Amino acid sequence: MLGAQALAVGLVVALLTLLVWKLVHDEGSGIPSALARGEQPPAPAFTLPRLDRKGTLSLAELRGKAVVINFWASWCAPCKEEAPVLEAAWREHRDEGLVVLGVDFNDLRSDALGFMEREGITYPVVYDRDGALVAKYGAVGVPETFFVDRRGRLVGKRIAGAVNAREEFMRDFEEGVRLALGS
């Protein structure tokens, strides 16, 4: 019994070490680093099943629109806190060509649908069950938010956390929306 517990603790320590190493080395995607340097890399393409209705949605279908991509999950408390801010941005700017796009991942479809209903989410939401799109963007957790301009390039700062968690994040969010719309 003691051996099994030691093995379990060792496995947890190894996984935590791997996570910290990945965060420090930003493996898999150079997008967060490029954005931190002020670059505007192309947004990774995707086609994913929709949660808000039947069918799929691709980034190519949104070309010519400004896009806020928000990675979230139903079990994420900060995601719940930021949902009203994202919904308000969608309602305020959609006539200007802004699309707020929710990307639910590492979640059960039924839980995600319940979250959307409880939080009153009306913007498009896609389902990235296994996190393949999360990896393409270099996201490491939820919530994380990225901004895509009308040319399909990432602009502004990546927000790693709820967009309304800190004043700095709200400024970055408003600036990201402005940059995406301004292209």
Side-chain angles (χ1 to χ4, degrees):
M1 182 75 152
L2 190 57
Q5 288 175 337
L7 181 62
V9 168
L11 182 59
V12 168
V13 169
L15 289 173
L16 285 173
T17 302
L18 181 62
L19 175 63
V20 169
W21 185 85
K22 179 171 175 24
L23 290 173
V24 170
H25 291 90
D26 192 30
E27 292 296 321
S29 173
I31 287 175
S33 297
L35 289 172
R37 291 189 302 270
E39 297 174 15
Q40 296 181 349
F46 63 84
T47 300
L48 290 169
R50 292 184 77 146
L51 282 173
D52 60 313
R53 65 170 79 159
K54 291 185 185 291
T56 61
L57 182 67
S58 70
L59 186 60
E61 293 173 54
L62 301 175
R63 191 65 176 243
K65 295 186 181 286
V67 183
V68 175
I69 298 176
N70 176 257
F71 293 99
W72 64 274
S74 65
W75 44 264
C76 163
C79 298
K80 180 180 179 179
E81 294 169 13
E82 76 175 357
V85 175
L86 297 167
E87 182 66 26
W90 159 246
R91 291 175 187 249
E92 181 179 345
H93 297 290
R94 65 180 165 195
D95 290 342
E96 300 168 55
L98 181 75
V99 175
V100 173
L101 176 65
V103 180
D104 176 65
F105 85 102
N106 195 20
D107 212 350
L108 296 174
R109 182 181 286 271
S110 59
D111 291 346
L113 291 169
F115 180 92
M116 292 165 58
E117 185 175 333
R118 281 189 310 277
E119 301 308 319
I121 294 173
T122 64
Y123 51 82
V125 177
V126 294
Y127 189 50
D128 184 28
R129 182 171 183 237
D130 61 2
L133 186 60
V134 169
K136 283 184 178 182
Y137 277 78
V140 293
V142 288
E144 284 198 40
T145 304
F146 295 82
F147 304 92
V148 182
D149 70 11
R150 297 174 194 270
R151 300 169 300 143
R153 308 207 54 82
L154 289 161
V155 296
K157 294 181 180 177
R158 169 187 85 160
I159 302 172
V163 297
N164 60 340
R166 299 192 321 219
E167 191 175 315
E168 170 192 352
F169 287 175
M170 276 305 296
R171 281 193 307 269
D172 292 344
F173 180 76
E174 291 165 0
E175 177 69 1
V177 168
R178 187 189 67 74
L179 289 169
L181 284 169
S183 60

